[in-house]
Amino acid sequence: MGILELILIAIGLGMDAFAVSICKGISMSKMNWKKAIIIGLYFGIFQALMPVIGFTLGKAFENLVTSIDHWIAFGILLIIGIKMIIDAFKEDNVSVNDSVNWKVMIILAIATSIDALAVGITFAFLQVNLLLAISIIGIITFILCVIGTKIGNNFGNKFENKAEILGGIVLIFIGVKILLEHLNII
């Protein structure tokens, strides 16, 4: 898997955290860069950590599934992508506050990085350079979240759903690409 695919995966995975960061920014009466950086760090670290856990699980079961690994990668990315698109159309009545309390942030970071765990499983089957992948995922998620906090503070919830839809489409596209490559169609 090349750097471009890893960057696209990182963007796709980071969209949930980006959307939550927009919500965090909305709840700030005045932009707080320190809080934006803390938000970015929580999400970036968890988005980078979860693929390591998934990769470890994937490697443990690699011998059992190598003949169907491309189908597993396709299925996981397709399901995550569709879920993100569906979630973008759901009405959320969640009250958001600008607290960056570690209890609040860990729960949000875990909730938005579960899909990264699943992607980590696919990394094990695709022989991805894990250090490069998690570095790209962590850095891009951090940047997206800091930007998302600023956007949320300036523009409200106008972009939240669009970000989740875009992230879902990107993950589906990458899943299809992986499947077509392994089937020697492209």
Side-chain angles (χ1 to χ4, degrees), residues 21-35:
S21 298
I22 290 173
C23 293
K24 286 294 203 180
I26 290 169
S27 66
M28 292 179 183
S29 57
K30 183 179 177 196
M31 181 59 194
N32 182 324
W33 287 106
K34 180 181 176 187
K35 285 185 178 180

Side-chain angles (χ1 to χ4, degrees), residues 81-180:
I82 290 171
K83 181 189 173 301
M84 286 177 71
I85 293 168
I86 290 170
D87 286 350
F89 291 102
K90 288 184 180 175
E91 295 272 337
D92 289 312
N93 294 325
V94 178
S95 65
V96 178
N97 63 49
D98 69 341
S99 171
V100 290
N101 173 293
W102 69 271
K103 293 176 189 173
V104 171
M105 291 309 301
I106 286 178
I107 291 169
L108 290 173
I110 290 171
T112 59
S113 64
I114 296 297
D115 51 353
L117 181 123
V119 169
I121 294 171
T122 67
F123 285 169
F125 303 142
L126 300 175
Q127 306 302 321
V128 171
N129 178 334
L130 186 61
L131 183 58
L132 177 64
I134 65 172
S135 298
I136 291 172
I137 290 168
I139 291 167
I140 287 178
T141 300
F142 171 81
I143 292 168
L144 286 172
C145 291
V146 172
I147 292 169
T149 305
K150 178 67 176 163
I151 288 172
N153 190 252
N154 289 342
F155 301 110
N157 58 12
K158 194 188 244 183
F159 298 107
E160 178 183 358
N161 292 349
K162 291 175 181 66
E164 284 197 83
I165 292 168
L166 177 63
I169 290 169
V170 166
L171 292 178
I172 291 169
F173 171 76
I174 292 170
V176 169
K177 181 181 179 297
I178 289 168
L179 181 64
L180 294 177

Side-chain angles (χ1 to χ4, degrees), residues 34-81:
K34 180 181 176 187
K35 285 185 178 180
I37 290 169
I38 290 169
I39 290 166
L41 285 171
Y42 270 103
F43 289 127
I45 289 168
F46 273 82
Q47 287 286 0
L49 178 65
M50 290 300 212
V52 174
I53 296 168
F55 184 87
T56 304
L57 291 171
K59 280 295 186 188
F61 298 103
E62 183 177 23
N63 293 336
L64 299 173
V65 293
T66 51
S67 64
I68 57 167
D69 58 359
H70 52 283
W71 286 102
I72 293 170
F74 167 72
I76 288 172
L77 292 172
L78 180 70
I79 289 167
I80 294 168

